[in-house]
Amino acid sequence: MAVSRRVGVRVRLTALAVLVVGLGLAGGGAVAATLVRDQLTGNAEAEARRQADAFAPMISVGLPAALPPLVQVVARDGSVLGASSELAHTRLLALWPESGAVKGTSRLPDGEHHAVAG
């Protein structure tokens, strides 16, 4: 009887250790995934902002005949003034905010998400 009781304690302690380690790994994985997602989203938004800042001066003299990849020119009322071939049949921005710059993400009909800056 003493042998079966000792095995029961060992099994319970092992199960508890596995549970604690498993919860720790799951929590750490969730934190890591969140941090990586936030970092990637921040990088995509920064790149979109950089491209918007580089392209904006060109618009003041009129839209070029061919727009750079993944560029869409949208008026404040939400109408698309011009778009590169990848974005010709979609609208990334529903409307502009009352003031300030635009940044965020937009989901295309095919399910892809794009960082948007303006």
Side-chain angles (χ1 to χ4, degrees), residues 103-115:
K103 80 173 191 177
T105 59
S106 183
R107 186 173 183 176
L108 297 179
D110 63 4
E112 283 190 49
H113 284 80
H114 288 276

Side-chain angles (χ1 to χ4, degrees), residues 15-105:
L16 179 63
V18 167
L19 179 65
V20 169
V21 170
L23 289 174
L25 288 174
V31 168
T34 300
L35 292 174
V36 168
R37 186 193 69 228
D38 290 347
Q39 180 70 32
L40 290 174
T41 301
N43 288 347
E45 287 178 356
E47 178 63 18
R49 169 52 87 196
R50 186 191 65 73
Q51 287 184 5
D53 289 343
F55 185 73
M58 291 184 227
I59 298 174
S60 64
V61 295
L63 288 178
L67 296 176
L70 297 176
V71 168
Q72 188 175 78
V73 181
V74 180
R76 286 223 176 250
D77 66 358
S79 61
V80 177
L81 303 177
S84 60
S85 60
E86 301 91 349
L87 302 175
H89 303 291
T90 188
R91 214 168 75 171
L92 290 179
L93 294 175
L95 58 117
W96 282 78
E98 290 298 319
S99 64
V102 175
K103 80 173 191 177
T105 59

